[in-house]
Amino acid sequence: MKKIVVAIDGHSSCGKSTMAKALARTVGYIYVDTGAMYRVVTLYALRNHLIENGKIYDFALQQHIECCRVKVSFQLDPETNLPLACLNGEVVEDEIRGMEVSNNVSPIAALPFVRKFLVAQQQAMGKEKGIVMDGRDIGTVVFPDAELKVFITASAEIRAQRRYDELVAKGEKDVDYDEILKNVIERDQIDSTREVSPLRQAEDAVVLDNSNCTREEQNAWLLEKFNAVVNA
Ligand code: DC
């Protein structure tokens, strides 16, 4: 069976990664969460005081990246076989999902030199195909020739509720729904209006609004699209 690249883009917290992971598992493809890569760079910047009170020391961050001090990679979790995001070899999967990183990641993802650094890695990962990658610019910039492009969306309120439930389930304390909703709306705004690679639907993407879909329904929808392409 021919191997393809599956590019999944869409708004934050609309279940892209859940769908992407499920498809990758079912069809035996590698899964790459590119949002995690932007989060890892953000964590590096926070830990090294290159962001303070929302101010980014972008010149310094660029130097750290150019001097190869920021290594973003994935390690496979031996139990789940899913990739865990790493910063300089350390698994940081939990830390990158917390509110501090979430509140600072969009401006970091808007920096052209950060995008150039991460897009090059993403393109190298997809060279052999057999990959499901999710993000914001996968079908438009990273893999404009992807055989299957999917654009996912859902209402801001539903996305905020999903993120709230996820954080509560992880045991995170002081989780506030209104703060999360504000963060979701703000991130949509920054992601869609930034100058470099703004979030937009590729012209040839198939679109799913999953506001009222169950996980099973959305997984079945994606698998059907995948099968239609590989069997064509
Ligand atoms: O999908 P996520 O919420 O983990 O993404 C984190 C941030 O990174 C979000 O602000 C969008 C940005 N991002 C991006 O600009 N390009 C990507 N390919 C993936 C994520």
Side-chain angles (χ1 to χ4, degrees), residues 14-77:
C14 61
K16 292 186 300 293
S17 55
T18 308
M19 284 175 84
K21 270 181 219 163
L23 178 69
R25 197 177 319 114
T26 307
V27 303
Y29 275 25
I30 291 168
Y31 164 65
V32 178
D33 170 1
T34 61
M37 299 172 78
Y38 290 94
R39 288 171 178 270
V40 169
V41 174
T42 306
L43 179 63
Y44 178 89
L46 285 165
R47 281 186 177 177
N48 290 278
H49 310 287
L50 302 175
I51 313 177
E52 272 175 344
N53 302 321
K55 174 164 175 41
I56 302 174
Y57 298 94
D58 53 346
F59 182 69
L61 177 60
Q62 184 165 9
Q63 283 189 319
H64 282 233
I65 289 175
E66 284 172 5
C67 296
C68 304
R69 289 167 69 177
V70 192
K71 289 218 167 51
V72 181
S73 60
F74 291 97
Q75 262 177 36
L76 275 193
D77 182 328

Side-chain angles (χ1 to χ4, degrees), residues 12-13 16 33-36 38-39 97 105-106 109 115 122 134-138 163 187 191 194:
S12 63
S13 307
K16 292 186 300 293
D33 170 1
T34 61
Y38 290 94
R39 288 171 178 270
R97 309 289 167 191
V105 65
S106 280
R115 303 204 71 83
Q122 292 154 10
D134 77 48
R136 304 291 187 288
D137 59 342
I138 311 305
R163 183 146 285 203
R187 285 208 290 153
D191 294 344
R194 69 178 174 222

